[in-house]
Amino acid sequence: MAEAEHSAGRTPGSVALLAVSKGQSAAAVAALADCGHRRFAESYLQEALAKQQALAQCPWALDLEWHFIGPIQSNKTRKIAESFDWVHSVDRLKIAERLSSQRPAERAPLKVFIEVNIDREPSKAGLLPEELAAFVADCRALPRVQVVGLMTIPEPHGVAGFARLAALNAQLVAPLPLLSMGMSADFPQAIAAGSTHVRVGTALFGVRGA
Ligand SMILES: *Cc1c(COP(=O)(O)O)cnc(C)c1O
């Protein structure tokens, strides 16, 4: 990451590393947290809640920053709004509305990234680029979510989508401050294109267990 930041002329340390701990044990999360890492991302709600509970007594438990990056069904929004501070996979207004209304009043607004299907892949989640501007405006009207950025997963082996997501953001009336893009195989290219949050699983933890 430091090399990619350097060669892209980005400020050293300015890109956040999210450790994608889906498929990994609570002990694996604890090992990284013991080394000082605080940002973790999960894709499956029940698995994430079990891990959060298993780690609740650890000295750093309250300092952990949990990001939800998986598909969201309506019946999961309440728990997500209660147990996470960041959500990267918002692509339907109904889901955004539920997250907003279900975010506990005593917590800060939920930070959300809007997912974009940048390569227009038929089976992939996310808004089409031309749907984005209206959707951002709708989400910004919700009181208990804070729209912080855009997220994308480009087509396999394709990295051109990163720059296109950054350009799409720049074209918004008010461009968003954050871009969630880049995984184990392509985070250097994502950083070169302006990523602020890379989501890395395999390169940190090894191959996910069966
Ligand atoms: C699993 C996952 C990642 C991490 O993928 P790796 O290739 O293991 O780094 C990143 N983002 C999302 C949305 C994922 O589901």
Side-chain angles (χ1 to χ4, degrees):
M1 286 178 67
E3 276 172 30
E5 285 171 343
H6 179 76
S7 44
R10 309 274 310 270
T11 305
S14 60
V15 179
L17 171 63
L18 308 185
V20 178
S21 45
K22 68 172 181 216
Q24 307 294 344
S25 65
V29 171
L32 214 51
D34 281 338
C35 299
H37 193 77
R38 294 291 178 260
R39 293 170 168 145
F40 293 89
E42 291 278 345
S43 297
Y44 307 105
L45 181 62
Q46 296 312 321
E47 179 193 334
L49 295 177
K51 238 174 271 183
Q52 289 178 353
Q53 195 170 2
L55 298 169
Q57 302 307 320
C58 296
W60 30 251
L62 294 177
D63 299 330
L64 295 185
E65 185 179 290
W66 289 103
H67 295 246
F68 192 82
I69 61 172
I72 307 175
Q73 294 140 325
S74 296
N75 62 349
K76 302 284 170 64
T77 52
R78 181 177 299 280
K79 280 282 179 204
I80 291 172
E82 289 172 355
S83 310
F84 289 80
D85 283 322
W86 301 71
V87 177
H88 292 237
S89 39
V90 172
D91 66 354
R92 285 188 292 148
L93 192 57
K94 181 185 171 197
I95 296 294
E97 287 168 347
R98 290 175 67 93
L99 290 170
S100 177
S101 67
Q102 293 169 342
R103 177 69 171 170
E106 71 277 10
R107 307 278 296 271
L110 186 67
K111 295 184 181 70
V112 303
F113 289 85
I114 293 168
E115 183 169 358
V116 178
N117 182 357
I118 198 68
D119 291 310
R120 318 180 73 89
E121 294 169 275
S123 61
K124 197 168 259 176
L127 294 146
L128 294 174
E130 62 272 21
E131 298 169 333
L132 180 65
F135 188 82
V136 169
D138 287 342
C139 286
R140 276 187 162 147
L142 299 171
R144 301 288 295 144
V145 298
Q146 179 190 0
V147 183
V148 294
L150 305 181
M151 180 275 223
T152 199
I153 306 171
E155 62 191 359
H157 313 296
V159 294
F162 294 142
R164 276 190 277 114
L165 190 75
L168 194 62
N169 184 46
Q171 287 160 16
L172 292 174
V173 177
L176 298 165
L178 305 179
L179 294 173
S180 169
M181 52 188 200
M183 317 198 326
S184 293
D186 54 16
F187 68 87
Q189 292 93 336
I191 290 171
S195 176
T196 63
H197 287 68
V198 296
R199 310 176 310 268
V200 176
T202 317
L204 278 171
F205 292 108
V207 176
R208 283 176 279 278

mmCIF file of all heavy atoms in Angstrom, residues 80-114:
data_model
loop_
_atom_site.group_PDB
_atom_site.id
_atom_site.type_symbol
_atom_site.label_atom_id
_atom_site.label_comp_id
_atom_site.label_asym_id
_atom_site.label_seq_id
_atom_site.Cartn_x
_atom_site.Cartn_y
_atom_site.Cartn_z
ATOM 1 N N ILE A 80 -27.789 -4.789 11.173
ATOM 2 C CA ILE A 80 -26.648 -4.114 10.544
ATOM 3 C C ILE A 80 -26.545 -2.682 11.074
ATOM 4 O O ILE A 80 -25.465 -2.221 11.451
ATOM 5 C CB ILE A 80 -26.784 -4.139 9.006
ATOM 6 C CG1 ILE A 80 -26.603 -5.578 8.498
ATOM 7 C CG2 ILE A 80 -25.747 -3.214 8.350
ATOM 8 C CD1 ILE A 80 -26.904 -5.764 7.026
ATOM 9 N N ALA A 81 -27.686 -2.005 11.168
ATOM 10 C CA ALA A 81 -27.677 -0.615 11.648
ATOM 11 C C ALA A 81 -27.246 -0.523 13.109
ATOM 12 O O ALA A 81 -26.715 0.497 13.546
ATOM 13 C CB ALA A 81 -29.060 0.010 11.468
ATOM 14 N N GLU A 82 -27.474 -1.604 13.855
ATOM 15 C CA GLU A 82 -27.111 -1.608 15.280
ATOM 16 C C GLU A 82 -25.667 -2.033 15.523
ATOM 17 O O GLU A 82 -25.072 -1.654 16.525
ATOM 18 C CB GLU A 82 -28.019 -2.595 16.048
ATOM 19 C CG GLU A 82 -29.452 -2.124 16.180
ATOM 20 C CD GLU A 82 -30.376 -3.197 16.766
ATOM 21 O OE1 GLU A 82 -29.923 -4.355 16.981
ATOM 22 O OE2 GLU A 82 -31.547 -2.891 16.987
ATOM 23 N N SER A 83 -25.111 -2.851 14.635
ATOM 24 C CA SER A 83 -23.841 -3.523 14.942
ATOM 25 C C SER A 83 -22.668 -3.077 14.081
ATOM 26 O O SER A 83 -21.559 -3.578 14.260
ATOM 27 C CB SER A 83 -24.013 -5.036 14.775
ATOM 28 O OG SER A 83 -25.150 -5.475 15.468
ATOM 29 N N PHE A 84 -22.918 -2.199 13.137
ATOM 30 C CA PHE A 84 -21.854 -1.705 12.265
ATOM 31 C C PHE A 84 -21.884 -0.181 12.252
ATOM 32 O O PHE A 84 -22.933 0.418 12.509
ATOM 33 C CB PHE A 84 -22.044 -2.230 10.836
ATOM 34 C CG PHE A 84 -21.753 -3.704 10.714
ATOM 35 C CD1 PHE A 84 -22.689 -4.646 11.097
ATOM 36 C CD2 PHE A 84 -20.529 -4.144 10.239
ATOM 37 C CE1 PHE A 84 -22.421 -6.008 11.024
ATOM 38 C CE2 PHE A 84 -20.245 -5.500 10.153
ATOM 39 C CZ PHE A 84 -21.192 -6.429 10.548
ATOM 40 N N ASP A 85 -20.743 0.428 11.937
ATOM 41 C CA ASP A 85 -20.724 1.883 11.782
ATOM 42 C C ASP A 85 -20.577 2.300 10.326
ATOM 43 O O ASP A 85 -20.754 3.471 9.989
ATOM 44 C CB ASP A 85 -19.592 2.496 12.612
ATOM 45 C CG ASP A 85 -19.981 2.544 14.094
ATOM 46 O OD1 ASP A 85 -21.166 2.814 14.388
ATOM 47 O OD2 ASP A 85 -19.124 2.292 14.953
ATOM 48 N N TRP A 86 -20.209 1.328 9.466
ATOM 49 C CA TRP A 86 -20.023 1.608 8.044
ATOM 50 C C TRP A 86 -20.691 0.499 7.233
ATOM 51 O O TRP A 86 -20.574 -0.672 7.583
ATOM 52 C CB TRP A 86 -18.538 1.589 7.670
ATOM 53 C CG TRP A 86 -17.645 2.548 8.383
ATOM 54 C CD1 TRP A 86 -17.252 2.496 9.694
ATOM 55 C CD2 TRP A 86 -16.982 3.688 7.814
ATOM 56 N NE1 TRP A 86 -16.391 3.534 9.959
ATOM 57 C CE2 TRP A 86 -16.201 4.279 8.834
ATOM 58 C CE3 TRP A 86 -16.968 4.252 6.528
ATOM 59 C CZ2 TRP A 86 -15.428 5.409 8.614
ATOM 60 C CZ3 TRP A 86 -16.189 5.378 6.314
ATOM 61 C CH2 TRP A 86 -15.431 5.949 7.349
ATOM 62 N N VAL A 87 -21.341 0.872 6.131
ATOM 63 C CA VAL A 87 -21.916 -0.111 5.212
ATOM 64 C C VAL A 87 -21.481 0.268 3.797
ATOM 65 O O VAL A 87 -21.606 1.432 3.393
ATOM 66 C CB VAL A 87 -23.459 -0.150 5.308
ATOM 67 C CG1 VAL A 87 -24.039 -1.115 4.291
ATOM 68 C CG2 VAL A 87 -23.898 -0.541 6.727
ATOM 69 N N HIS A 88 -20.937 -0.710 3.056
ATOM 70 C CA HIS A 88 -20.374 -0.411 1.727
ATOM 71 C C HIS A 88 -21.250 -0.863 0.575
ATOM 72 O O HIS A 88 -20.885 -0.663 -0.582
ATOM 73 C CB HIS A 88 -19.020 -1.110 1.567
ATOM 74 C CG HIS A 88 -17.948 -0.577 2.452
ATOM 75 N ND1 HIS A 88 -16.761 -0.088 1.974
ATOM 76 C CD2 HIS A 88 -17.890 -0.452 3.805
ATOM 77 C CE1 HIS A 88 -16.011 0.307 2.997
ATOM 78 N NE2 HIS A 88 -16.658 0.096 4.110
ATOM 79 N N SER A 89 -22.356 -1.530 0.856
ATOM 80 C CA SER A 89 -23.076 -2.247 -0.198
ATOM 81 C C SER A 89 -24.511 -1.761 -0.349
ATOM 82 O O SER A 89 -25.405 -2.546 -0.607
ATOM 83 C CB SER A 89 -23.044 -3.741 0.125
ATOM 84 O OG SER A 89 -23.195 -3.954 1.531
ATOM 85 N N VAL A 90 -24.729 -0.470 -0.244
ATOM 86 C CA VAL A 90 -26.078 0.078 -0.375
ATOM 87 C C VAL A 90 -26.369 0.346 -1.852
ATOM 88 O O VAL A 90 -25.622 1.084 -2.516
ATOM 89 C CB VAL A 90 -26.223 1.377 0.447
ATOM 90 C CG1 VAL A 90 -27.545 2.058 0.157
ATOM 91 C CG2 VAL A 90 -26.080 1.074 1.937
ATOM 92 N N ASP A 91 -27.411 -0.285 -2.381
ATOM 93 C CA ASP A 91 -27.752 -0.047 -3.788
ATOM 94 C C ASP A 91 -29.263 -0.033 -4.038
ATOM 95 O O ASP A 91 -29.699 -0.028 -5.189
ATOM 96 C CB ASP A 91 -27.061 -1.058 -4.715
ATOM 97 C CG ASP A 91 -27.550 -2.482 -4.501
ATOM 98 O OD1 ASP A 91 -28.342 -2.722 -3.561
ATOM 99 O OD2 ASP A 91 -27.130 -3.360 -5.280
ATOM 100 N N ARG A 92 -30.065 -0.045 -2.955
ATOM 101 C CA ARG A 92 -31.516 0.051 -3.103
ATOM 102 C C ARG A 92 -32.036 1.057 -2.089
ATOM 103 O O ARG A 92 -31.637 1.029 -0.924
ATOM 104 C CB ARG A 92 -32.188 -1.310 -2.859
ATOM 105 C CG ARG A 92 -32.000 -2.275 -4.028
ATOM 106 C CD ARG A 92 -32.845 -3.521 -3.841
ATOM 107 N NE ARG A 92 -32.365 -4.337 -2.734
ATOM 108 C CZ ARG A 92 -33.156 -5.083 -1.965
ATOM 109 N NH1 ARG A 92 -34.462 -5.104 -2.159
ATOM 110 N NH2 ARG A 92 -32.644 -5.814 -0.987
ATOM 111 N N LEU A 93 -32.973 1.909 -2.513
ATOM 112 C CA LEU A 93 -33.474 2.960 -1.626
ATOM 113 C C LEU A 93 -34.196 2.364 -0.419
ATOM 114 O O LEU A 93 -34.064 2.863 0.698
ATOM 115 C CB LEU A 93 -34.392 3.916 -2.396
ATOM 116 C CG LEU A 93 -34.739 5.195 -1.633
ATOM 117 C CD1 LEU A 93 -33.486 5.962 -1.223
ATOM 118 C CD2 LEU A 93 -35.661 6.067 -2.461
ATOM 119 N N LYS A 94 -34.925 1.288 -0.652
ATOM 120 C CA LYS A 94 -35.646 0.655 0.459
ATOM 121 C C LYS A 94 -34.667 0.265 1.572
ATOM 122 O O LYS A 94 -34.944 0.436 2.760
ATOM 123 C CB LYS A 94 -36.391 -0.578 -0.057
ATOM 124 C CG LYS A 94 -37.184 -1.298 0.998
ATOM 125 C CD LYS A 94 -37.801 -2.580 0.434
ATOM 126 C CE LYS A 94 -38.408 -3.406 1.568
ATOM 127 N NZ LYS A 94 -38.660 -4.801 1.155
ATOM 128 N N ILE A 95 -33.531 -0.258 1.184
ATOM 129 C CA ILE A 95 -32.515 -0.666 2.174
ATOM 130 C C ILE A 95 -31.950 0.568 2.874
ATOM 131 O O ILE A 95 -31.795 0.587 4.104
ATOM 132 C CB ILE A 95 -31.393 -1.475 1.477
ATOM 133 C CG1 ILE A 95 -31.954 -2.789 0.912
ATOM 134 C CG2 ILE A 95 -30.216 -1.706 2.414
ATOM 135 C CD1 ILE A 95 -32.436 -3.774 1.947
ATOM 136 N N ALA A 96 -31.650 1.604 2.123
ATOM 137 C CA ALA A 96 -31.108 2.827 2.725
ATOM 138 C C ALA A 96 -32.114 3.436 3.705
ATOM 139 O O ALA A 96 -31.744 3.888 4.793
ATOM 140 C CB ALA A 96 -30.753 3.830 1.630
ATOM 141 N N GLU A 97 -33.397 3.422 3.327
ATOM 142 C CA GLU A 97 -34.440 3.966 4.207
ATOM 143 C C GLU A 97 -34.535 3.171 5.498
ATOM 144 O O GLU A 97 -34.653 3.740 6.589
ATOM 145 C CB GLU A 97 -35.799 3.947 3.491
ATOM 146 C CG GLU A 97 -35.912 5.004 2.415
ATOM 147 C CD GLU A 97 -37.130 4.806 1.505
ATOM 148 O OE1 GLU A 97 -37.764 3.718 1.542
ATOM 149 O OE2 GLU A 97 -37.428 5.741 0.739
ATOM 150 N N ARG A 98 -34.478 1.860 5.384
ATOM 151 C CA ARG A 98 -34.559 1.023 6.598
ATOM 152 C C ARG A 98 -33.330 1.242 7.478
ATOM 153 O O ARG A 98 -33.448 1.345 8.701
ATOM 154 C CB ARG A 98 -34.689 -0.455 6.207
ATOM 155 C CG ARG A 98 -36.043 -0.791 5.589
ATOM 156 C CD ARG A 98 -36.082 -2.231 5.116
ATOM 157 N NE ARG A 98 -36.013 -3.183 6.206
ATOM 158 C CZ ARG A 98 -37.073 -3.718 6.824
ATOM 159 N NH1 ARG A 98 -38.289 -3.386 6.429
ATOM 160 N NH2 ARG A 98 -36.917 -4.576 7.805
ATOM 161 N N LEU A 99 -32.147 1.310 6.881
ATOM 162 C CA LEU A 99 -30.936 1.540 7.680
ATOM 163 C C LEU A 99 -31.047 2.875 8.420
ATOM 164 O O LEU A 99 -30.677 2.989 9.588
ATOM 165 C CB LEU A 99 -29.693 1.525 6.788
ATOM 166 C CG LEU A 99 -29.289 0.171 6.207
ATOM 167 C CD1 LEU A 99 -28.187 0.351 5.155
ATOM 168 C CD2 LEU A 99 -28.831 -0.800 7.296
ATOM 169 N N SER A 100 -31.572 3.880 7.744
ATOM 170 C CA SER A 100 -31.705 5.192 8.368
ATOM 171 C C SER A 100 -32.696 5.148 9.525
ATOM 172 O O SER A 100 -32.414 5.617 10.635
ATOM 173 C CB SER A 100 -32.159 6.220 7.322
ATOM 174 O OG SER A 100 -32.350 7.486 7.923
ATOM 175 N N SER A 101 -33.869 4.551 9.290
ATOM 176 C CA SER A 101 -34.889 4.571 10.346
ATOM 177 C C SER A 101 -34.517 3.642 11.495
ATOM 178 O O SER A 101 -34.969 3.843 12.618
ATOM 179 C CB SER A 101 -36.259 4.220 9.768
ATOM 180 O OG SER A 101 -36.279 2.886 9.345
ATOM 181 N N GLN A 102 -33.680 2.644 11.248
ATOM 182 C CA GLN A 102 -33.342 1.677 12.292
ATOM 183 C C GLN A 102 -32.013 1.974 12.985
ATOM 184 O O GLN A 102 -31.625 1.271 13.917
ATOM 185 C CB GLN A 102 -33.321 0.260 11.692
ATOM 186 C CG GLN A 102 -34.715 -0.177 11.252
ATOM 187 C CD GLN A 102 -34.718 -1.436 10.416
ATOM 188 O OE1 GLN A 102 -33.700 -1.852 9.866
ATOM 189 N NE2 GLN A 102 -35.874 -2.069 10.319
ATOM 190 N N ARG A 103 -31.317 2.990 12.546
ATOM 191 C CA ARG A 103 -30.064 3.341 13.215
ATOM 192 C C ARG A 103 -30.375 3.850 14.617
ATOM 193 O O ARG A 103 -31.168 4.807 14.766
ATOM 194 C CB ARG A 103 -29.340 4.419 12.391
ATOM 195 C CG ARG A 103 -28.044 4.925 13.007
ATOM 196 C CD ARG A 103 -26.956 3.862 12.994
ATOM 197 N NE ARG A 103 -25.668 4.410 13.384
ATOM 198 C CZ ARG A 103 -24.595 3.665 13.644
ATOM 199 N NH1 ARG A 103 -24.669 2.334 13.537
ATOM 200 N NH2 ARG A 103 -23.458 4.219 13.982
ATOM 201 N N PRO A 104 -29.766 3.254 15.649
ATOM 202 C CA PRO A 104 -30.090 3.684 17.015
ATOM 203 C C PRO A 104 -29.838 5.175 17.216
ATOM 204 O O PRO A 104 -28.822 5.719 16.765
ATOM 205 C CB PRO A 104 -29.137 2.843 17.880
ATOM 206 C CG PRO A 104 -28.862 1.620 17.060
ATOM 207 C CD PRO A 104 -28.839 2.105 15.630
ATOM 208 N N ALA A 105 -30.772 5.821 17.933
ATOM 209 C CA ALA A 105 -30.748 7.281 18.082
ATOM 210 C C ALA A 105 -29.488 7.780 18.776
ATOM 211 O O ALA A 105 -29.020 8.884 18.505
ATOM 212 C CB ALA A 105 -31.988 7.738 18.847
ATOM 213 N N GLU A 106 -28.928 6.959 19.667
ATOM 214 C CA GLU A 106 -27.773 7.422 20.446
ATOM 215 C C GLU A 106 -26.460 7.290 19.669
ATOM 216 O O GLU A 106 -25.416 7.748 20.128
ATOM 217 C CB GLU A 106 -27.689 6.686 21.787
ATOM 218 C CG GLU A 106 -27.288 5.221 21.703
ATOM 219 C CD GLU A 106 -28.463 4.287 21.388
ATOM 220 O OE1 GLU A 106 -29.560 4.788 21.039
ATOM 221 O OE2 GLU A 106 -28.268 3.066 21.473
ATOM 222 N N ARG A 107 -26.497 6.651 18.504
ATOM 223 C CA ARG A 107 -25.274 6.484 17.711
ATOM 224 C C ARG A 107 -25.193 7.573 16.649
ATOM 225 O O ARG A 107 -26.197 8.139 16.240
ATOM 226 C CB ARG A 107 -25.280 5.106 17.017
ATOM 227 C CG ARG A 107 -25.515 3.940 17.979
ATOM 228 C CD ARG A 107 -24.259 3.503 18.697
ATOM 229 N NE ARG A 107 -23.266 2.985 17.777
ATOM 230 C CZ ARG A 107 -23.191 1.699 17.398
ATOM 231 N NH1 ARG A 107 -24.058 0.823 17.867
ATOM 232 N NH2 ARG A 107 -22.251 1.300 16.570
ATOM 233 N N ALA A 108 -23.980 7.845 16.178
ATOM 234 C CA ALA A 108 -23.804 8.770 15.059
ATOM 235 C C ALA A 108 -24.483 8.175 13.826
ATOM 236 O O ALA A 108 -24.677 6.962 13.742
ATOM 237 C CB ALA A 108 -22.320 8.977 14.794
ATOM 238 N N PRO A 109 -24.865 9.006 12.854
ATOM 239 C CA PRO A 109 -25.458 8.443 11.631
ATOM 240 C C PRO A 109 -24.560 7.356 11.027
ATOM 241 O O PRO A 109 -23.337 7.416 11.143
ATOM 242 C CB PRO A 109 -25.557 9.660 10.708
ATOM 243 C CG PRO A 109 -25.651 10.825 11.631
ATOM 244 C CD PRO A 109 -24.802 10.467 12.823
ATOM 245 N N LEU A 110 -25.202 6.374 10.415
ATOM 246 C CA LEU A 110 -24.483 5.270 9.779
ATOM 247 C C LEU A 110 -23.770 5.791 8.526
ATOM 248 O O LEU A 110 -24.391 6.439 7.687
ATOM 249 C CB LEU A 110 -25.500 4.193 9.401
ATOM 250 C CG LEU A 110 -25.000 2.876 8.856
ATOM 251 C CD1 LEU A 110 -24.229 2.105 9.922
ATOM 252 C CD2 LEU A 110 -26.199 2.046 8.392
ATOM 253 N N LYS A 111 -22.494 5.503 8.408
ATOM 254 C CA LYS A 111 -21.749 5.940 7.219
ATOM 255 C C LYS A 111 -21.963 4.928 6.098
ATOM 256 O O LYS A 111 -21.724 3.738 6.295
ATOM 257 C CB LYS A 111 -20.260 6.043 7.538
ATOM 258 C CG LYS A 111 -19.923 7.107 8.571
ATOM 259 C CD LYS A 111 -18.405 7.179 8.720
ATOM 260 C CE LYS A 111 -17.987 8.200 9.737
ATOM 261 N NZ LYS A 111 -18.328 7.785 11.114
ATOM 262 N N VAL A 112 -22.414 5.380 4.950
ATOM 263 C CA VAL A 112 -22.674 4.437 3.861
ATOM 264 C C VAL A 112 -21.932 4.821 2.572
ATOM 265 O O VAL A 112 -21.797 5.998 2.231
ATOM 266 C CB VAL A 112 -24.183 4.270 3.558
ATOM 267 C CG1 VAL A 112 -24.950 3.819 4.791
ATOM 268 C CG2 VAL A 112 -24.797 5.522 2.986
ATOM 269 N N PHE A 113 -21.460 3.776 1.914
ATOM 270 C CA PHE A 113 -20.964 3.870 0.545
ATOM 271 C C PHE A 113 -22.061 3.337 -0.366
ATOM 272 O O PHE A 113 -22.735 2.363 -0.024
ATOM 273 C CB PHE A 113 -19.734 2.983 0.346
ATOM 274 C CG PHE A 113 -18.472 3.434 1.020
ATOM 275 C CD1 PHE A 113 -18.213 3.108 2.343
ATOM 276 C CD2 PHE A 113 -17.515 4.156 0.323
ATOM 277 C CE1 PHE A 113 -17.039 3.503 2.964
ATOM 278 C CE2 PHE A 113 -16.323 4.554 0.932
ATOM 279 C CZ PHE A 113 -16.083 4.225 2.258
ATOM 280 N N ILE A 114 -22.227 3.923 -1.503
ATOM 281 C CA ILE A 114 -23.191 3.448 -2.487
ATOM 282 C C ILE A 114 -22.450 2.594 -3.513
ATOM 283 O O ILE A 114 -21.417 3.014 -4.067
ATOM 284 C CB ILE A 114 -23.904 4.642 -3.143
ATOM 285 C CG1 ILE A 114 -24.767 5.330 -2.067
ATOM 286 C CG2 ILE A 114 -24.746 4.194 -4.330
ATOM 287 C CD1 ILE A 114 -25.296 6.670 -2.473
#
